[in-house]
């Protein structure tokens, strides 16, 4: 196992609904990861909809929209199981979110994914093509 980085607590993810942070992959590219409640624990996924990869699922200041164990894509309303990342409806039906390896120990969440390096809390800095929430084609109200 490679580097372990403490991210947040399970309690905080459950209280806030999600936790967003920035990573660097093995190719040197920066990206975002969102940690969401999964039953009594948490799960982590790359922060984009697999149907439309420029669509983020979580935003700074808003977090991810999670209802009844599902994370909702704000653009098309596809819902993803917060434990598995599987989607069974909408434009992303049959697809699964890219998961990120995290571990929970004593109520604390750690990044343990050998392909990713933690950079900082929050979204990728200097990403100006992300002004506001996209115009939604779904019925989801944020």
């Amino acid at each position: 196992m490679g580097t372990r980085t403490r991210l947040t607590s399970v309690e905080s993810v459950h209280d806030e609904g999600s936790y967003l942070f920035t990573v660097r992959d093995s190719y040197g590219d920066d990206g975002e990861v969102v940690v969401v409640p999964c039953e009594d624990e948490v799960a982590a996924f790359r922060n984009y909809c697999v149907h439309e990869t420029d669509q983020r699922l979580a935003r700074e200041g808003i977090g991810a929209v999670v209802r009844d164990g599902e994370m909702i894509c704000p653009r098309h309303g596809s819902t993803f199981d917060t434990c598995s990342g599987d989607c069974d409806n909408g434009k992303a039906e049959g697809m699964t979110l890219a998961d990120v390896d995290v571990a929970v120990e004593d109520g604390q969440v750690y990044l343990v994914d050998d392909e990713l390096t933690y950079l900082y809390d929050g979204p990728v800095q200097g990403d100006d093509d992300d002004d506001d929430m996209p115009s939604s084609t779904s019925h989801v109200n944020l």
Side-chain angles (χ1 to χ4, degrees), residues 61-117:
I62 298 172
V65 176
V66 177
R67 291 187 193 135
D68 299 324
E70 295 183 314
M71 184 167 34
I72 303 168
C73 173
R75 181 159 296 175
H76 296 109
S78 294
T79 58
F80 299 88
D81 181 273
T82 58
C83 294
S84 67
D86 294 339
C87 179
D88 64 2
N89 72 340
K91 296 195 179 223
E93 183 174 4
M95 298 180 186
T96 301
L97 296 174
D99 64 329
V100 172
D101 293 334
V102 294
V104 173
E105 238 179 75
D106 296 324
Q108 301 303 303
V109 182
Y110 296 88
L111 175 66
V112 296
D113 197 304
D114 291 335
E115 301 296 315
L116 301 173
T117 302

Side-chain angles (χ1 to χ4, degrees), residues 14-28:
H14 281 264
D15 288 348
E16 299 296 322
S18 63
Y19 168 77
L20 181 66
F21 65 101
T22 297
V23 294
R24 181 162 292 144
D25 67 20
S26 57
Y27 300 103

